[in-house]
Amino acid sequence: MLLNYIKIAWKVLLRHPFYTFITLFGISLTLTVLMVLTSFLDHLIGSHYPENKRDRMLYIMQMHLQDSSRTSSTNGPMSFKFLTEYAKSLKTPERVTITTFINSSNAYVGSQKIKLNTKFTDAEFWQVSDFEFLEGKPYNEQNIANGDNVAVITNDFKKHYFESAVESVVGKDVEIENIHYKVIGVVKASPVTRPFTYADVFFPYTAPKSNYQSAGMRGGFVAMILGKDKADLPAIQEEFQGHINRIPLPIIQDGNKFSVMDVKSVPYLENFVGSILDGNAGIKAIFFGVIGFVLFMLMGLPAINLVNINVSRIMERASEIGIRKAFGAPVKTLVWQFIVENVFITLIGGTIALGLALIVIHIINASGMIAYSDLTINLNVFIISLLVCLLFGLLSGVLPALRMSKLNIAEALKS
């Protein structure tokens, strides 16, 4: 029976090619947008190079300090000393790395200025992340202990700074902000959308201008914690929170006295939406209102449009429906047939959309719109896209199917 429904749907599609084109164009365009959006979200929050182990990682991004009267507060990264004392000392994780967010620097090739994003890290940064070394190796604990002026650069910076993009540059000298560094490694660049690992040049934290000696609690450093297993993350969070809870309050920071301190080790996405979710009811309402509106625009309006298209398409078959009902076809059978037909047509549109999405993603990756972007249609994106296709097929098919299956036989035959 299912095969017969699909055959009927195929014959209906072939009957009016132009109308079929309009229907598939609407479906495939809508699903293309959704697939590209899904791929972009996966690019932002999924486990990708060089953070391939995000599913078993926690991030410590900012400290919140507030005075007792709640009239003064400060938020931001922490000092190297603070993270060493309260994050590096954790027993449960496999590794903990401390790094800065990006800093702006300049290098010169002749009279040409190259604007750089630089990052100071410890040696474990290279074990927690999964950078691909194209040349050389990362700096180690010995380089850090010695205070060596060494650097790991990206292949993109190498291309701009050195004359030859092919010849090895390991052991060569780069001058950044009037300080000379020896290149000991070249890595494949990370996308700009991964702030914990993105940079053009990486220095040991003992290199000049890192300010790692700061004695306060606030500074320019953040931390990434790698668990041995995903199931260990709650235990790591509990251990870290135990360390934080033992810090005596109030805290003196930059001459101000703070009696409230909040620092969390949380999964990647929570770093960015956590502050919103922890906010007051008004901010939450606005946030979820915007999310709901965007989802409605993306899902609701195309679904309504497809419902209208399907109603018009099925209206053409009113006489067929009337004849089948006259011969005793039950409503349930007709509804099921139209839903199957609609899901079938939507899946054809989804297949076309998959091809279009691959083209759009290739254009985005090649355009440099997002530096070093690597948007893909991986298994997760494909499964989500397939579910979206099925959901659209059902959403846009149920209402027309119900409406047409309840047609009066006399009116249907008259049409």
Side-chain angles (χ1 to χ4, degrees):
M1 187 63 74
L2 182 64
L3 186 60
N4 285 336
Y5 291 161
I6 294 174
K7 285 180 178 177
I8 292 171
W10 182 248
K11 293 292 183 185
V12 171
L13 286 176
L14 295 179
R15 196 161 58 190
H16 298 294
F18 181 73
Y19 201 79
T20 299
F21 169 77
I22 296 295
T23 302
L24 291 179
F25 179 78
I27 294 172
S28 56
L29 185 64
T30 301
L31 293 178
T32 298
V33 172
L34 289 172
M35 285 184 188
V36 173
L37 180 65
T38 304
S39 175
F40 183 67
L41 290 176
D42 179 67
H43 167 83
L44 286 180
I45 62 178
S47 296
H48 296 289
Y49 176 86
E51 296 172 47
N52 296 327
K53 302 183 282 270
R54 265 189 187 168
D55 59 333
R56 56 188 180 99
M57 287 173 67
L58 294 170
Y59 296 78
I60 307 173
M61 192 173 76
Q62 66 176 352
M63 171 187 286
H64 172 74
L65 296 173
Q66 192 169 49
D67 64 7
S68 56
S69 62
R70 299 186 182 275
T71 57
S72 176
S73 65
T74 176
N75 291 286
M78 293 131 284
S79 67
F80 187 86
K81 177 178 177 293
F82 174 85
L83 289 171
T84 300
E85 190 171 346
Y86 298 104
K88 276 279 190 181
S89 59
L90 296 175
K91 305 297 182 190
T92 315
E94 181 179 316
R95 293 182 186 280
V96 179
T97 178
I98 300 175
T99 176
T100 59
F101 274 144
I102 54 175
N103 307 284
S104 297
S105 301
N106 296 315
Y108 292 87
V109 178
S111 59
Q112 182 187 359
K113 183 169 77 173
I114 304 174
K115 293 184 176 179
L116 295 174
N117 294 301
T118 58
K119 188 181 284 290
F120 297 94
T121 82
D122 59 11
E124 288 199 277
F125 177 80
W126 304 107
Q127 279 79 52
V128 172
S129 59
D130 295 306
F131 274 95
E132 178 185 352
F133 272 80
L134 306 174
E135 297 175 30
K137 59 184 181 182
Y139 40 80
N140 55 31
E141 296 288 358
Q142 192 60 52
N143 294 122
I144 291 174
N146 295 341
D148 295 338
N149 277 10
V150 294
V152 171
I153 66 173
T154 63
N155 55 335
D156 190 63
F157 175 59
K158 172 191 170 182
K159 186 173 63 180
H160 288 89
Y161 190 84
F162 294 97
E163 292 181 355
S164 172
V166 178
E167 186 181 340
S168 174
V169 296
V170 172
K172 292 191 175 181
D173 183 83
V174 292
E175 183 180 351
I176 300 171
E177 299 291 347
N178 300 318
I179 301 174
H180 291 264
Y181 299 90
K182 185 173 80 172
V183 176
I184 63 170
V186 179
V187 294
K188 177 185 169 186
S190 168
V192 68
T193 46
R194 285 155 208 162
F196 282 85
T197 49
Y198 167 73
D200 299 304
V201 182
F202 302 86
F203 302 120
Y205 68 84
T206 49
K209 301 184 179 180
S210 75
N211 198 29
Y212 79 98
Q213 304 95 334
S214 172
M217 290 196 167
R218 288 285 313 283
F221 289 86
V222 295
M224 293 189 286
I225 303 173
L226 177 65
K228 299 183 184 76
D229 188 90
K230 190 163 49 175
D232 292 339
L233 297 186
I236 295 171
Q237 288 178 298
E238 186 177 350
E239 184 186 0
F240 178 69
Q241 200 56 49
H243 285 205
I244 298 302
N245 291 341
R246 286 196 290 272
I247 297 174
L249 297 174
I251 296 167
I252 306 298
Q253 175 74 34
D254 299 328
N256 298 309
K257 183 186 287 186
F258 297 101
S259 57
V260 177
M261 183 180 68
D262 187 24
V263 187
K264 292 179 179 175
S265 56
V266 292
Y268 182 77
L269 180 60
E270 202 171 320
N271 270 297
F272 300 98
V273 300
S275 57
I276 297 173
L277 297 178
D278 290 339
N280 59 44
I283 294 176
K284 285 183 185 176
I286 293 172
F287 177 75
F288 286 113
V290 170
I291 295 294
F293 178 74
V294 171
L295 287 177
F296 174 73
M297 294 293 288
L298 289 174
M299 299 286 289
L301 292 183
I304 292 171
N305 185 44
L306 289 179
V307 167
N308 290 329
I309 291 175
N310 286 331
V311 168
S312 302
R313 182 170 56 83
I314 295 173
M315 277 291 288
E316 285 188 329
R317 300 167 64 186
S319 57
E320 172 197 331
I321 296 168
I323 292 171
R324 291 186 62 188
K325 292 188 76 171
F327 279 91
V331 170
K332 183 179 176 183
T333 301
L334 293 172
V335 170
W336 176 240
Q337 177 187 338
F338 286 125
I339 290 176
V340 170
E341 285 184 17
N342 208 60
V343 169
F344 173 69
I345 294 169
T346 306
L347 286 177
I348 293 176
T351 305
I352 298 171
L354 182 62
L356 293 175
L358 287 172
I359 294 172
V360 173
I361 285 172
H362 174 73
I363 292 172
I364 292 174
N365 286 339
S367 68
M369 192 183 307
I370 305 171
Y372 318 124
S373 62
D374 54 0
L375 274 70
T376 56
I377 299 286
N378 56 32
L379 183 61
N380 291 334
V381 174
F382 179 76
I383 291 174
I384 292 172
S385 301
L386 183 62
L387 292 175
V388 168
C389 289
L390 293 173
L391 180 63
F392 260 71
L394 290 173
L395 282 176
S396 60
V398 170
L399 184 61
L402 284 173
R403 181 176 170 186
M404 299 312 298
S405 63
K406 292 178 181 176
L407 269 181
N408 180 279
I409 294 176
E411 289 181 4
L413 289 174
K414 194 186 296 180
S415 67

